[in-house]
Amino acid sequence: MNLKLYKPLCTFDLETTGTNVAKDRIVEISILKVNPDGSRESKTWLVNPEMYIPRESTEIHGISDDDVKNAPTFREIAPKVMEMITGTDLAGFNSNRFDVPLLAEEMLRAGIDFDLNKFKLVDVQTIYHKMEPRNLTAAYNFYCKKTLTDAHSAEADVLATFEVLDAQIAHYDELPNEVAALSEFSTYHKFADLAGMIRFDDDEKEVFAFGKYKGQRVKDVFQKDLGYYGWIQNADFPLYTKKVLTAIQLKSRF
């Protein structure tokens, strides 16, 4: 083992109902505890979040409401989780921004005093990003074998971006070389607006990606609660999002 440990290290990962640290809940937690002598122990719990698991979350981690209906709640397993991580340090992937804060919320919700000052936190994703930068300068060097001078100058950046795109097509045989296909390939999620607040469902219908009607079709919401449309139009939402919602609202009348 290359890692030198003076106390146990618990690497952990959470699967959750969503990405809102304050509101979402754990549906699975897995912990690998590695001791200074190299010995290991691991434990995984399915967790009943006591709330609906959105379909888009199930599509990511494969855990449905049915899978956790007989599982213990986090409050029930919290003492066991705390026992396992007490006296250790914590590691994860993107853990400092998501897993650790959400775990702390769940612990406090379960009535357990969770003090982050007792742990050293190691985020593997941060190490990866610092050691292998994923910015335009790094891409220009990797794909084009050139050094980007005047980075963050708009003219230099735009020329380098085109060269990187052209070099990517040459580098990957499986990458399409037409813009329509590249657009599809380079899009993680398909949204109706630019801010990612309105996405498309499996039937290509617009659904809310935020708020109290998250996951529901926009047209259906406006037909039953037109006041929600009015609230959005008067609130601090991007103008393009309002434009898209206005078009949907006009269609929902017919």
Side-chain angles (χ1 to χ4, degrees):
M1 187 169 68
N2 297 307
L3 190 62
K4 182 180 288 186
L5 297 177
Y6 298 98
K7 62 192 293 190
L9 178 70
C10 281
T11 303
F12 79 103
D13 183 64
L14 306 177
E15 303 300 343
T16 65
T17 58
T19 58
N20 187 313
V21 169
K23 296 181 179 179
D24 281 302
R25 302 289 188 268
I26 294 171
V27 298
E28 185 179 49
I29 177 170
S30 185
I31 303 174
L32 170 66
K33 185 175 184 178
V34 181
N35 297 303
D37 63 3
S39 61
R40 305 178 180 191
E41 57 180 298
S42 63
K43 180 66 178 177
T44 299
W45 292 270
L46 276 176
V47 182
N48 186 331
E50 300 181 280
M51 65 179 290
Y52 167 70
I53 302 175
R55 182 180 62 180
E56 53 265 34
S57 297
T58 297
E59 288 173 352
I60 293 172
H61 49 56
I63 300 171
S64 66
D65 292 322
D66 199 50
D67 293 324
V68 298
K69 64 182 181 182
N70 295 319
T73 64
F74 189 83
R75 180 178 291 273
E76 291 175 295
I77 67 165
K80 298 176 183 177
V81 173
M82 196 65 202
E83 180 182 6
M84 190 169 185
I85 67 175
T86 296
T88 76
D89 293 320
L90 300 176
F93 196 87
N94 193 34
S95 49
N96 286 358
R97 293 178 60 188
F98 181 70
D99 299 80
V100 171
L102 200 149
L103 179 63
E105 289 292 311
E106 288 278 40
M107 285 291 189
L108 294 173
R109 201 176 290 117
I112 293 179
D113 184 18
F114 189 78
D115 185 358
L116 287 177
N117 292 320
K118 295 180 179 179
F119 303 93
K120 292 284 192 268
L121 305 176
V122 179
D123 193 323
V124 177
Q125 185 189 68
T126 300
I127 294 173
Y128 173 44
H129 288 171
K130 285 188 174 183
M131 299 305 293
E132 303 290 342
R134 291 298 187 264
N135 54 26
L136 181 57
T137 300
Y140 197 54
N141 179 263
F142 180 82
Y143 290 108
C144 303
K145 310 304 181 197
K146 297 178 183 178
T147 300
L148 178 58
T149 56
D150 298 324
H152 302 299
S153 154
E155 183 178 2
D157 285 358
V158 75
L159 290 171
T161 299
F162 179 79
E163 285 191 52
V164 168
L165 174 59
D166 197 58
Q168 285 176 324
I169 293 169
H171 188 82
Y172 301 108
D173 291 338
E174 66 273 26
L175 196 63
N177 64 356
E178 295 180 349
V179 169
L182 287 169
S183 175
E184 186 72 23
F185 184 84
S186 61
T187 302
Y188 276 110
H189 303 287
K190 189 175 181 182
F191 292 98
D193 67 331
L194 298 174
M197 294 182 170
I198 311 297
R199 64 173 182 82
F200 291 99
D201 62 16
D202 294 338
D203 296 320
E204 295 296 310
K205 302 296 185 182
E206 299 94 342
V207 300
F208 282 108
F210 73 96
K212 65 180 182 179
Y213 292 119
K214 183 177 180 179
Q216 296 187 37
R217 289 185 175 178
V218 176
K219 182 177 180 179
D220 294 342
V221 170
F222 287 167
Q223 287 179 338
K224 68 181 180 182
D225 185 2
L226 188 57
Y228 195 62
Y229 167 76
W231 170 75
I232 291 173
Q233 292 300 317
N234 291 310
D236 188 22
F237 284 91
L239 293 177
Y240 191 81
T241 299
K242 292 181 179 181
K243 172 187 170 85
V244 170
L245 291 173
T246 296
I248 298 171
Q249 192 273 330
L250 291 173
K251 289 190 296 184
S252 71
R253 295 179 178 179
F254 304 101

